[in-house]
Amino acid sequence: MQLSDKKATLSFSDGSAPIEFPVYQGSVGPDVIDIRKLYGQSGMFTYDPGFMSTAACESGITYIDGDKGQLLYRGYPIDQLAQNCDFLDICYLILNGDLPDGAQKTEFDSLVTNHTMVHEQMRIFMQGFRRDAHPMAVLTGLVGALSAFYHDSTDITNPHHRHVSAIRLIAKMPTLVAMAYKHSLGQPYIYPKNDLSYTGNFLHMMFATPCEDYKVNEVVERALDRIFILHADHEQNASTSTVRLCGSSGTNPFAAIAAGVGCLWGPAHGGANEACLQMLEELQANGGVAKVGEFMEKVKDKTSGVRLMGFGHRVYKNYDPRAKLMQETCKEVLSALGLENDPLFKLAMELERIALEDPYFVERKLYPNVDFYSGIVQRAIGIPTSLFTAIFALARTVGWIAQWSEMLSDPDYKIGRPRQLYTGSQVRDVPTQR
Ligand code: SDX
């Protein structure tokens, strides 16, 4: 980051001496005021619950312009990447800073492909879960459990160890997610096949059975690969910030990623895709498009506690570029599968049309986000609603591990330890008679 010639001065109304702070600028986006000396010089903290105005770190991986609805991975616009690359190209880009050339792609794809198996004892670990366990509960456990198998790459200060862990996590997440799905069905786990693409292999592990050959549908493979691309990273969102904070203690990468899986599960974050599809199914069951107006009145009534899931975003105050690409993918998959008249897709399009004209949404700059259409595509592919967030976690693993590694490669990084505004009881003695 570059020191700006601007300064920020904090003055106090009680006559205390003003404090001057340096201002830094990045390559694009808002400048930052470096307040690291504030507490030392004023005895005061800043107060920013939810980090609405706080840059927690410096990063060169992903840039979002919320007003423009722009998303860049290492400077490349998401729409161009979704059009011209596959998910492993994006993994290489996010991890290494640029797109792979031919030789680099061949080597990287082979490296990932040859790490897709998990330790055979993971099957025994799986037996501890009920068949109806939520896949995110299973995935949180499985990812954390990986740290029990890989003691050979736990020196987080060693870039090679960090790279080995990154490859292992990117390669094994599809296997773990597919195992969680097969476990829920009571079907045998399907081993990875090295002659399939990353996404084709995942579809095979998900939907093949030992009883017959499974042919990967190329339209579905391309659509799911694009879904992975759209979910790969997203700046300092809640789960990425969780991975950074967890990793800042020096814990192993598998534990840090397991923390990210747990955070992503929430309905305000990655769990919104599951919640959105449940919302659409419930609306469809209770009258569908004819009842949209009534439903929207509930959404606008604060006392109802009902939100339009898949809408709104902390950063995007314009259309989430991923939602546009997801809608296009929806149309492609539905028509390829002969589901053009999918009632849920029509319902979602009607909800979007009404919301984008309604002052409640327009005034609050609420637009569809990545989760609004992703569930419809996944449902059309045959992925159960309960697995949507696990698929999001599969795709986001590369972003999490790249951000984790970026943090650890900064020689000045420290363990994260926010402070608070304390409003509890002041010191008092324990009563001797109780
Ligand atoms: C993801 O951070 C990321 O980058 C996340 C993500 C990623 O890739 O990592 O993009 C993935 O998590 C996308 C978001 C998925 N979540 C949802 O779709 C759940 C529904 N959306 C929201 O709950 C909400 O919009 C958030 C959580 C996404 C953002 O919340 P904020 O920024 O804290 O905004 P807010 O809750 O303060 O809302 C501002 C206003 C409020 O009304 P007022 O108090 O101003 O009257 O907008 C209203 C809210 O009530 N509002 C909504 C709404 N979202 C916000 N009202 C109805 N429906 C909604 N969906």
Side-chain angles (χ1 to χ4, degrees), residues 152-348:
D152 63 342
S153 59
T154 53
D155 175 3
I156 57 167
T157 63
N158 179 335
H160 176 64
H161 282 207
R162 294 204 298 268
H163 178 66
V164 167
S165 300
I167 296 297
R168 279 178 167 148
L169 278 156
I170 292 164
K172 297 177 195 305
M173 279 303 258
T175 311
L176 297 178
V177 173
M179 285 175 75
Y181 177 56
K182 287 302 195 186
H183 182 73
S184 72
L185 299 177
Q187 284 187 3
Y189 306 124
I190 300 295
Y191 284 105
K193 274 175 67 72
N194 291 352
D195 59 350
L196 295 173
S197 73
Y198 182 87
T199 304
N201 182 42
F202 174 64
L203 287 166
H204 180 262
M205 291 189 289
M206 281 280 291
F207 299 119
T209 68
C211 319
E212 58 190 25
D213 288 343
Y214 172 82
K215 179 140 176 43
V216 175
N217 174 317
E218 286 175 9
V219 173
V220 170
E221 181 182 21
R222 180 70 195 123
L224 192 55
D225 196 77
R226 184 181 294 176
I227 288 173
F228 291 166
I229 290 172
L230 298 179
H231 287 86
D233 192 49
H234 213 239
E235 200 214 69
Q236 304 311 316
N237 58 84
S239 53
T240 298
S241 301
T242 300
V243 169
R244 279 180 173 262
L245 190 57
C246 182
S248 73
S249 72
T251 190
N252 70 78
F254 306 103
I257 299 299
V261 174
C263 176
L264 187 75
W265 191 359
H269 191 12
N273 53 20
E274 177 180 356
C276 181
L277 202 89
Q278 284 162 352
M279 171 191 78
L280 291 172
E281 286 177 332
E282 204 174 300
L283 195 46
Q284 183 61 24
N286 297 320
V289 173
K291 290 284 184 178
V292 163
E294 190 183 308
F295 175 73
M296 289 304 238
E297 288 314 307
K298 243 194 256 174
V299 167
K300 295 188 285 185
D301 169 11
K302 287 276 185 287
T303 59
S304 74
V306 174
R307 286 207 161 183
L308 182 56
M309 299 312 280
F311 249 73
H313 199 276
R314 173 62 59 76
V315 178
Y316 288 122
K317 301 310 170 192
N318 198 326
Y319 213 106
D320 182 335
R322 301 168 299 176
K324 268 202 188 83
L325 292 160
M326 199 66 82
Q327 192 191 77
E328 283 165 24
T329 305
C330 240
K331 286 176 184 159
E332 283 166 26
V333 171
L334 292 175
S335 65
L337 299 178
L339 301 170
E340 294 86 341
N341 297 319
D342 180 307
L344 292 193
F345 185 53
K346 289 189 178 310
L347 183 58

Side-chain angles (χ1 to χ4, degrees), residues 57-226:
C57 64
E58 175 186 353
S59 178
I61 298 174
T62 293
Y63 177 70
I64 303 171
D65 183 321
D67 295 329
K68 287 190 207 157
Q70 183 185 48
L71 169 58
L72 310 175
Y73 291 161
R74 299 285 190 182
Y76 293 112
I78 189 69
D79 54 326
Q80 294 182 31
L81 292 171
Q83 207 60 43
N84 300 296
C85 303
D86 69 20
F87 179 63
L88 286 187
D89 292 329
I90 303 305
C91 289
Y92 186 95
L93 170 67
I94 287 176
L95 285 173
N96 299 302
D98 221 320
L99 287 164
D101 60 26
Q104 289 163 335
K105 179 169 180 58
T106 305
E107 186 194 358
F108 185 78
D109 287 12
S110 162
L111 195 57
V112 172
T113 300
N114 287 288
H115 283 83
T116 48
M117 280 211 293
V118 294
H119 197 289
E120 198 64 5
Q121 282 177 218
M122 282 298 241
R123 295 162 168 274
I124 303 164
F125 187 81
M126 283 295 288
Q127 284 163 20
F129 290 105
R130 288 170 47 132
R131 295 287 178 182
D132 62 354
H134 193 287
M136 286 299 274
V138 176
L139 196 60
T140 309
L142 291 179
V143 174
L146 286 177
S147 48
F149 291 93
Y150 301 112
H151 301 288
D152 63 342
S153 59
T154 53
D155 175 3
I156 57 167
T157 63
N158 179 335
H160 176 64
H161 282 207
R162 294 204 298 268
H163 178 66
V164 167
S165 300
I167 296 297
R168 279 178 167 148
L169 278 156
I170 292 164
K172 297 177 195 305
M173 279 303 258
T175 311
L176 297 178
V177 173
M179 285 175 75
Y181 177 56
K182 287 302 195 186
H183 182 73
S184 72
L185 299 177
Q187 284 187 3
Y189 306 124
I190 300 295
Y191 284 105
K193 274 175 67 72
N194 291 352
D195 59 350
L196 295 173
S197 73
Y198 182 87
T199 304
N201 182 42
F202 174 64
L203 287 166
H204 180 262
M205 291 189 289
M206 281 280 291
F207 299 119
T209 68
C211 319
E212 58 190 25
D213 288 343
Y214 172 82
K215 179 140 176 43
V216 175
N217 174 317
E218 286 175 9
V219 173
V220 170
E221 181 182 21
R222 180 70 195 123
L224 192 55
D225 196 77
R226 184 181 294 176

